Amino acid sequence: MSESAPGPVSPEPESDPAAPAPLAVPRTPTGDAGVDARVARLADADHLRTDGHLGVYEDVHRGLRDALGALDARPDHH
């Protein structure tokens, strides 16, 4: 049996770990339209490279923090 040298092997395409990869995480409505809109904004990260996620997360966090702070500022909240 003769051994032949393998022909050129084309490298397999490497996946880019920073490429957009939708997570499709379900989001359950909270009943508060403002909070739901901020949480829905997390879907924007699905279409961004991972280095763009931080801006979305910080924006959502800021909005949710503001919504919580607004609860303390309401006169009907004791």
Side-chain angles (χ1 to χ4, degrees):
M1 209 188 242
S2 69
E3 290 185 39
S4 60
V9 177
S10 59
E12 297 212 13
E14 293 184 28
S15 63
D16 180 0
L23 297 176
V25 175
R27 292 167 190 87
T28 304
T30 65
D32 182 298
V35 169
D36 291 343
R38 288 174 176 95
V39 171
R41 168 119 165 73
L42 290 171
D44 293 346
D46 285 349
H47 309 289
L48 299 172
R49 293 176 49 88
T50 54
D51 56 2
H53 289 190
L54 183 60
V56 173
Y57 297 153
E58 286 178 339
D59 182 52
V60 171
H61 180 256
R62 187 179 316 108
L64 292 173
R65 189 180 58 229
D66 291 348
L68 284 172
L71 292 174
D72 289 337
R74 288 187 186 169
D76 62 334
H77 185 260
H78 301 282

